[in-house]
C-alpha cells in the first residue's frame, strides 16, 4: 500500500457545479471547495509551498521557529505544517479573531502572540517582522512573499483548468491577493479573455479572511492593474450568500465563500452565457459559534442596492 504523508493531502480539492443557484441555464457556476484541505482552508497550499521554498533556499531547517501574522486560516495551516515538518509555529494575531482559531492553534501546539484588535493584521505583521529578527526565526510574510501567489499559479490554477477548461469569469476573495494573482495568471495564460474579479469587504465591514484596500495597505504581491474589476460586498450580503449556499446546494461555506457567491451572482445576471469559477476559501465549521447562521439580516433590497462594482 502507498502511504501518503499529511502534507501530500494538500490541494486536489473538488470542483462542484452550483446547479440550483444560477439565474440563467446558459451561465454555469462552479466552485472549488478549498475547505477540503487538511486544515480546512486554501491556506494549506501557500504555507506548504512557502515552507518548502524556504527549506530549499537554505533559510530554515527543522527545529527553527516559523512566524506569521494571520487572522486565522494561515495561522492554522502553519501550525499543522509546522507540526508535520518539524518547525515551531508562532502566530501573531489581533484579539478579535473567532474563538475557534486560538483553540485550534492550542491543539496543534502553536504559540500565539496577541496584538490589540485595532492593530489589525497589518499591526500583527509589524510585530511578527520584529520577532523574526531573532536567531533561527523566519517569517513567512504571506503579504510580501511571491511564493504565496506562485503556489496558486502552480497548483490552484492548473487544477481549476483541468476541471473547467473554458472560463469566462474567475471570482475570488482578496486577502493577500495570492489566490487572485497566482490563479488569475494561470487562467489568463490559458485564455487571455478570462476576467479576474476580486471580492473585497465594503469599507468598515469585517469579512473573515478578506481585506479592504481602503485601509491604505496594498499587499506588495498584489498588482491592481492585473485585476479586471472588484466587487465590494457587505457583511450582510456575505452572510446571506453563505445561507443560500447551504439552503440551495447543501454546501457549508465560510463567510468569504458567501461573499464570493454574492459577487458571482451579480455577474451571472449580467452576462448572457458563460462559465463562472469561484474559489470557496474555507468551510464554515470555524464559524459555528458566530451569528453567521442566526443573526437577523438587513433586508436584501436595502443592501443590494448599495453594493458597488468598480471596473478598471
Ligand atoms: C477565509 C478566507 N477567504 C479568502 C482569503 C483570501 O485569500 P488570499 O490571501 O489568497 O487573497 C483568505 C485569506 O486570508 C481567507 O482566510
Amino acid at each position: 500500500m502507498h502511504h501518503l504523508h499529511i502534507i501530500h493531502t494538500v490541494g486536489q480539492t473538488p470542483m462542484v457545479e452550483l446547479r440550483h443557484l444560477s439565474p440563467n441555464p446558459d451561465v454555469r457556476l462552479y466552485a472549488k471547495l478549498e475547505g477540503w484541505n487538511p486544515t480546512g482552508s486554501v491556506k494549506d497550499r501557500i504555507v506548504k509551498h512557502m515552507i518548502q521554498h524556504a527549506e530549499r533556499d537554505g533559510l530554515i531547517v527543522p527545529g527553527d521557529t516559523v512566524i506569521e501574522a494571520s487572522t486565522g486560516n494561515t495561522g492554522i495551516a502553519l501550525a499543522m505544517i509546522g507540526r508535520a515538518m518539524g518547525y515551531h509555529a508562532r502566530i501573531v494575531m489581533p484579539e478579535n479573531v473567532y474563538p475557534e482559531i486560538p483553540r485550534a492553534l492550542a491543539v496543534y501546539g502553536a504559540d500565539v502572540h496577541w496584538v490589540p484588535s485595532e492593530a489589525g493584521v497589518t499591526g500583527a505583521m509589524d510585530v511578527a517582522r520584529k520577532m523574526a529578527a531573532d536567531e533561527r526565526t523566519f517569517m513567512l510574510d504571506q503579504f510580501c512573499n511571491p511564493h504565496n501567489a506562485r503556489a496558486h499559479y502552480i497548483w490552484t490554477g492548473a487544477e481549476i483548468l483541468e476541471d473547467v477548461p473554458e472560463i469566462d469569469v474567475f471570482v475570488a476573495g482578496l486577502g493577500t491577493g495570492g489566490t487572485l494573482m497566482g490563479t488569475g495568471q494561470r487562467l489568463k495564460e490559458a485564455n487571455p479573455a478570462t476576467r479576474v474579479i476580486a471580492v473585497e469587504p465594503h469599507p468598515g465591514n469585517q469579512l473573515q479572511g478578506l481585506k479592504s484596500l481602503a485601509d491604505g495597505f496594498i499587499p506588495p504581491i498584489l498588482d491592481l492593474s492585473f485585476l479586471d474589476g472588484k466587487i465590494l460586498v457587505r457583511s450582510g450580503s456575505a452572510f446571506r450568500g453563505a445561507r443560500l449556499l447551504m439552503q440551495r446546494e447543501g454546501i457549508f461555506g465560510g463567510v468569504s465563500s458567501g461573499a464570493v457567491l454574492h459577487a458571482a451572482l451579480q455577474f451571472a445576471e449580467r452576462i448572457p452565457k458563460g462559465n463562472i469559477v469561484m474559489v470557496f476559501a474555507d468551510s464554515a465549521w470555524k464559524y459555528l459559534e458566530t451569528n453567521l447562521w442566526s443573526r437577523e439580516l438587513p433586508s436584501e433590497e436595502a443592501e443590494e442596492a448599495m453594493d458597488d462594482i468598480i471596473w478598471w
Side-chain angles (χ1 to χ4, degrees):
M1 197 181 142
H2 178 64
H3 293 281
L4 282 175
H5 186 263
I6 188 73
I7 295 296
H8 301 140
T9 67
V10 175
Q12 292 294 339
T13 53
M15 176 81 86
V16 294
E17 184 173 358
L18 310 183
R19 290 171 197 263
H20 305 287
L21 279 167
S22 178
N24 170 354
D26 293 328
V27 175
R28 305 185 68 170
L29 295 170
Y30 298 93
K32 189 147 174 79
L33 305 182
E34 291 299 310
W36 262 245
N37 280 297
T39 75
S41 91
V42 67
K43 295 297 185 177
D44 290 346
R45 293 177 182 274
I46 66 157
V47 171
K48 173 184 173 181
H49 195 68
M50 290 190 292
I51 288 197
Q52 286 180 334
H53 264 275
E55 277 189 342
R56 236 168 275 168
D57 295 342
L59 300 171
I60 51 173
V61 290
D64 287 356
T65 297
V66 180
I67 188 164
E68 184 59 307
S70 166
T71 54
N73 283 332
T74 305
I76 297 174
L78 172 57
M80 181 275 287
I81 289 176
R83 269 275 169 240
M85 293 178 70
Y87 293 93
H88 301 290
R90 185 178 301 156
I91 320 299
V92 185
M93 280 192 309
E95 277 162 351
N96 56 344
V97 301
Y98 289 129
E100 265 66 17
I101 290 165
R103 279 184 216 148
L105 291 173
V107 172
Y108 276 108
D111 290 341
V112 176
H113 184 94
W114 297 103
V115 298
S117 306
E118 314 78 71
V121 76
T122 44
M125 280 169 66
D126 296 339
V127 171
R129 193 156 286 125
K130 287 199 188 98
M131 289 178 160
D134 290 354
E135 243 177 83
R136 299 198 62 187
T137 303
F138 175 78
M139 180 179 176
L140 290 181
D141 212 356
Q142 58 173 343
F143 288 90
C144 306
N145 189 332
H147 294 299
N148 168 359
R150 192 73 194 157
H152 292 293
Y153 177 85
I154 299 172
W155 306 106
T156 322
E159 290 172 27
I160 288 174
L161 287 167
E162 272 173 34
D163 290 326
V164 187
E166 282 169 26
I167 301 167
D168 299 281
V169 183
F170 173 66
V171 188
L174 188 148
T176 62
T179 310
L180 285 157
M181 293 302 298
T183 312
Q185 195 189 344
R186 187 74 178 234
L187 302 187
K188 278 182 187 273
E189 272 175 26
N191 177 5
T194 301
R195 282 186 281 176
V196 174
I197 307 298
V199 177
E200 207 186 300
H202 238 287
N205 282 223
Q206 293 277 350
L207 290 177
Q208 174 68 20
L210 304 190
K211 219 184 147 306
S212 169
L213 299 181
D215 70 7
F217 176 74
I218 313 274
I221 63 165
L222 176 67
D223 172 5
L224 284 174
S225 71
F226 173 80
L227 303 176
D228 297 292
K230 67 178 180 180
I231 299 186
L232 302 182
V233 175
R234 289 186 162 72
S235 319
S237 304
F239 282 32
R240 201 175 294 110
R243 292 181 194 182
L244 204 58
L245 262 181
M246 176 49 79
Q247 287 158 5
R248 302 272 185 85
E249 302 282 350
I251 293 174
F252 196 37
V255 180
S256 80
S257 305
V260 166
L261 175 70
H262 176 81
L265 288 177
Q266 295 198 349
F267 237 97
E269 280 171 9
R270 283 181 174 77
I271 59 174
K273 65 181 175 64
N275 292 332
I276 300 179
V277 170
M278 295 165 269
V279 170
F280 287 171
D282 66 1
S283 59
W285 294 104
K286 287 188 292 287
Y287 314 114
L288 269 180
E289 280 187 40
T290 69
N291 53 13
L292 171 55
W293 311 103
S294 55
R295 195 182 83 174
E296 279 279 334
L297 299 178
S299 91
E300 195 165 348
E301 295 71 30
E303 271 207 341
E304 241 156 48
M306 298 188 292
D307 277 334
D308 294 343
I309 302 186
I310 298 165
W311 304 97
W312 276 286

